[in-house]
Amino acid sequence: MSEVEQALNTSSDVKYDELIAHLKDQGKQIDWLLQFLVKFVVTTPVEIGITLSVGGNLVSGQLISHDAYFKQLAEDMAAPFGQFKDGTDASVKEIILSFTPGESADTTTAFHFIHLKDCKTYSSDQSPICEEGVLWRGKIASVDGFNLGLLQRK
């Protein structure tokens, strides 16, 4: 049972007030500027180079829309099934594309996930965790900080 579910199972007004305060505090932890950048790439054909600090690691790649993320994910997930001539690859692609969020950027102000392509991840000791460019999805609330531009190893 989640923390929210546990808190809602109590009948105490104090617990409810604590829960509301906790949820409001959580909302303040989501970077509005990062949410704006996500909305910007969702509403335009632009991709932005960005480097995120997440839990002591650096995550660097091209910020892309959630639609672009799910299209590429569907392609990547379906590719291994192309060797079968039974249409399994098309089925896998269809399943993955069904996960694409239906929310419109015009009506949604609070995006909660960020999507990168050609992403490289480095640990705090500068050793690569993932040196190859990959698709990456993370929670905006988990991002400790960011800068525009890609991380370049020298």
Side-chain angles (χ1 to χ4, degrees):
M1 184 177 289
S2 74
E3 180 181 328
V4 173
E5 290 170 330
Q6 290 173 354
L8 288 175
N9 283 335
T10 65
S11 60
S12 168
D13 287 339
V14 174
K15 288 286 186 189
Y16 179 77
D17 291 342
E18 289 175 9
L19 174 63
I20 296 302
H22 174 73
L23 292 174
K24 284 182 181 178
D25 186 49
Q26 287 294 90
K28 291 177 185 173
Q29 293 178 13
I30 298 175
D31 189 321
W32 62 268
L33 181 55
L34 198 50
Q35 283 183 322
F36 169 79
L37 291 173
V38 169
K39 183 174 181 169
F40 180 76
V41 299
V42 167
T43 58
T44 65
V46 174
E47 296 176 357
I48 300 172
I50 193 165
T51 300
L52 311 170
S53 173
V54 181
N57 297 317
L58 295 176
V59 179
S60 188
Q62 293 292 330
L63 178 60
I64 60 173
S65 71
H66 51 262
D67 286 340
Y69 172 84
F70 280 100
K71 284 178 187 170
Q72 186 61 54
L73 181 64
E75 291 290 330
D76 293 349
M77 294 286 291
F81 295 97
Q83 64 183 326
F84 306 111
K85 304 298 181 204
D86 60 358
T88 305
D89 58 334
S91 297
V92 169
K93 194 181 297 187
E94 185 179 327
I95 291 168
I96 299 300
L97 288 174
S98 73
F99 299 146
T100 303
E103 56 200 19
S104 167
D106 296 333
T107 58
T108 302
T109 56
F111 288 93
H112 297 283
F113 289 90
I114 186 167
H115 301 97
L116 305 180
K117 74 173 188 179
D118 301 328
C119 179
K120 298 177 181 175
T121 306
Y122 299 91
S123 67
S124 58
D125 68 356
Q126 299 180 359
S127 61
I129 294 172
C130 181
E131 236 176 332
E132 298 291 320
V134 297
L135 279 179
W136 185 88
R137 173 181 166 99
K139 293 187 297 187
I140 292 175
S142 295
V143 175
D144 300 316
F146 72 94
N147 64 279
L148 295 179
L150 299 174
L151 183 65
Q152 300 291 326
R153 284 193 53 143
K154 292 185 179 183

